[in-house]
Amino acid sequence: MDRQPIGPSGALETVFRLESPRVVAAVARIVRDVGIAEELAQDALVAALEQWPRDGVPDNPGAWLMTTARHRAVDLVRRRERYARKLAEIGRDLETTSGPEEPSGPDDIDDDLLRLVFTTCHPVLSAEARIALTLRLLGGLTTAEIARAFLAPEPTVAQRIVRAKRTLATRNIAFEVPYGPDREARLGSVLDVIYLVFNEGYAATAGDDWLRPALCEDALRLARLLSGLMPKEPEVHGLAALLEFQMSRAAARTGPDGEPVLLKDQNRRRWNRMLIARGVTALARADAVATGAPGPYVLQAAIAACHAHALTYEETDWPAIATLYGLLAARSPSPVVELNRAVAVSMADGPAPALEMVDALAAEPALRDYHLLPSVRGDLLTRLGRPAEARAEFERAASLTRNTRERALLLRRAAASG
């Protein structure tokens, strides 16, 4: 049967989800206010909702949204007398330029998305606010999705975003990639943001899709840009390596109908060997410029490298992975890291000691509604020959996830445990 064409509403929803971060970033460069930039992007969306059903979907819908938002931004700046001087310098270029300019120097980079990340990771904001705001603007995530990534209540995250926008506006923060010490001061938050955006694309917290490739691609591109911008920072190369390794498995992580495929069931011939090679190179660069103990992203990249080098699931060096997770837990303590360490320990030493580790995490407030805790526990109980308990854990995990595909997978595992 022929596939029906996507209507204006469906096309707009898809395009806006993919293009909104770029639109917001480009407009923020004009108006110097991320809150207003987001509003103007929404204005462009409203204009499309009015015009596309009447006139049809444009040949290049992303460019249509970008042009509409930029024109509105320029009009807004024109109406403000205090921006008159700035308009004289950049107004014409902004109306006629179709994309970002080339870097002006070896230590400069003129990428609107990266500029947006560094701006929203300004030290005037708390670490939580920086990450929440950037996930909202760059990743296009909803407040609920960000709350899920933070393991925090939605109202708390909503307040962080509103206050962060207000602070950037009232402090008149420059929309730029900083230099020297200022850049280094923001680097940790920038890396965290890029990683969280990638993770949301790699395993979506909500919705009907298990993967959101556009988010993964944006995050990977930003990591590569950053590694070129800061070649002497091992953690930058570590993040780039980690994302290259993770992205190499993307094609094998879903089945023909978009359903999730677990790591042990993946067809490793579908793993992208070119991305794995890029990951190996990036990890080698991190090691070459390191001057002390490896940081958390270098350690995570080393863990991902262990998976990438194993031709089969059975050949995976689980003892090495468990050791690396131990180092990561000491370097960057986190209940989620401990949960991942328990999984590695279960493969290296058996499910019994791992179950003790998982049970010790049950009281962690951050993991109370984290669906992967009962999911891991269900897997361990299955391997210990306790199917009834395993089924209850998988069902609880299914009730906690907001991703339709993941819920179906967990329910299938629950049924299989029965």
Side-chain angles (χ1 to χ4, degrees):
M1 189 170 86
D2 292 338
R3 181 174 295 177
Q4 296 298 316
I6 299 175
S9 297
L12 179 55
E13 179 182 355
T14 300
V15 171
F16 192 75
R17 186 176 68 249
L18 296 175
E19 298 294 335
S20 61
R22 296 179 179 85
V23 173
V24 171
V27 172
R29 185 182 182 189
I30 302 171
V31 300
R32 310 291 174 174
D33 185 309
V34 294
I36 293 175
E38 189 177 22
E39 292 175 5
L40 291 170
Q42 292 291 335
D43 286 346
L45 173 64
V46 172
L49 285 170
E50 294 173 350
Q51 295 185 36
W52 291 11
R54 183 186 67 232
D55 303 333
V57 178
D59 292 336
N60 191 336
W64 190 99
L65 287 171
M66 178 71 78
T67 300
T68 301
R70 286 168 61 131
H71 283 170
R72 294 185 180 217
V74 171
D75 289 342
L76 177 64
V77 174
R78 281 195 175 123
R79 290 196 299 268
R80 297 178 174 181
E81 291 184 359
R82 65 178 178 270
Y83 289 123
R85 182 177 299 176
K86 191 173 295 184
L87 262 180
E89 298 172 358
I90 66 172
R92 294 187 186 88
D93 290 339
L94 291 171
E95 288 185 294
T96 58
T97 302
S98 60
E101 300 169 357
E102 292 298 318
S104 58
D107 196 37
D108 189 21
I109 191 163
D110 198 6
D111 182 273
D112 282 338
L113 285 176
L114 195 59
R115 190 181 285 112
L116 177 61
V117 175
F118 270 98
T119 300
T120 55
C121 287
H122 197 280
V124 299
L125 303 178
S126 68
E128 295 83 0
R130 296 173 206 169
I131 295 174
L133 180 59
T134 311
L135 287 173
R136 170 72 176 167
L137 298 179
L138 177 73
L141 275 62
T142 66
T143 302
E145 290 170 335
I146 298 169
R148 189 72 171 180
F150 270 119
L151 303 178
E154 286 186 39
T156 301
V157 172
Q159 290 177 357
R160 287 175 187 167
I161 293 172
V162 171
R163 290 172 182 167
K165 291 178 184 177
R166 186 182 302 126
T167 299
L168 291 177
T170 56
R171 297 289 188 91
N172 196 28
I173 300 302
F175 186 68
E176 64 181 5
V177 176
Y179 295 88
D182 288 341
R183 180 181 295 172
E184 295 173 5
R186 300 189 211 178
L187 180 60
S189 289
V190 170
L191 296 180
D192 290 345
V193 165
I194 293 174
Y195 185 46
L196 284 172
V197 170
F198 182 89
N199 277 346
E200 181 57 32
Y202 196 67
T205 57
D208 297 328
D209 297 321
W210 175 238
L211 290 174
R212 297 172 66 181
L215 289 182
C216 292
E217 291 165 4
D218 271 344
L220 181 56
R221 186 177 67 84
L222 288 172
R224 289 171 177 171
L225 285 171
L226 202 58
S227 66
L229 180 67
M230 307 182 74
K232 296 181 180 180
E233 290 288 343
E235 279 290 85
V236 173
H237 295 304
L239 176 64
L242 173 60
L243 301 195
E244 299 282 6
F245 286 132
Q246 298 289 74
M247 194 64 176
S248 72
R249 304 202 296 260
R253 295 188 74 244
T254 55
D257 297 323
E259 71 278 10
V261 178
L262 299 176
L263 179 63
K264 65 184 179 64
D265 299 322
Q266 289 176 15
N267 180 358
R268 300 194 173 207
R269 287 175 294 182
R270 298 190 66 196
W271 287 8
N272 189 315
R273 308 312 299 183
M274 182 188 72
L275 293 180
I276 290 175
R278 291 183 68 115
V280 170
T281 300
L283 188 56
R285 287 173 181 156
D287 291 337
V289 298
T291 57
Y297 287 113
V298 172
L299 288 170
Q300 290 180 79
I303 292 169
C306 290
H307 290 294
H309 291 314
L311 297 180
T312 66
Y313 185 75
E314 292 71 24
E315 293 177 31
T316 306
D317 191 348
W318 289 109
I321 292 176
T323 299
L324 288 167
Y325 267 121
L327 294 174
L328 181 61
R331 180 71 171 79
S332 184
S334 160
V336 174
V337 171
E338 287 295 339
L339 183 62
N340 288 330
R341 186 165 77 94
V343 173
V345 168
S346 78
M347 300 303 299
D349 302 325
L355 183 60
E356 293 181 7
M357 297 172 63
V358 171
D359 287 344
L361 294 171
E364 287 285 348
L367 298 182
R368 186 170 298 139
D369 296 321
Y370 188 50
H371 70 284
L372 291 183
L373 179 65
S375 175
V376 169
R377 197 168 189 276
D379 182 67
L380 297 176
L381 290 167
T382 298
R383 292 166 58 191
L384 287 168
R386 296 157 63 178
E389 295 172 81
R391 177 176 183 139
E393 292 296 327
F394 285 130
E395 288 175 344
R396 180 168 181 266
S399 72
L400 292 174
T401 184
R402 292 167 135 182
N403 186 281
T404 304
R405 299 285 189 177
E406 191 170 29
R407 184 181 302 114
L409 171 65
L410 290 166
L411 289 174
R412 287 196 300 271
R413 298 195 72 188
S417 299

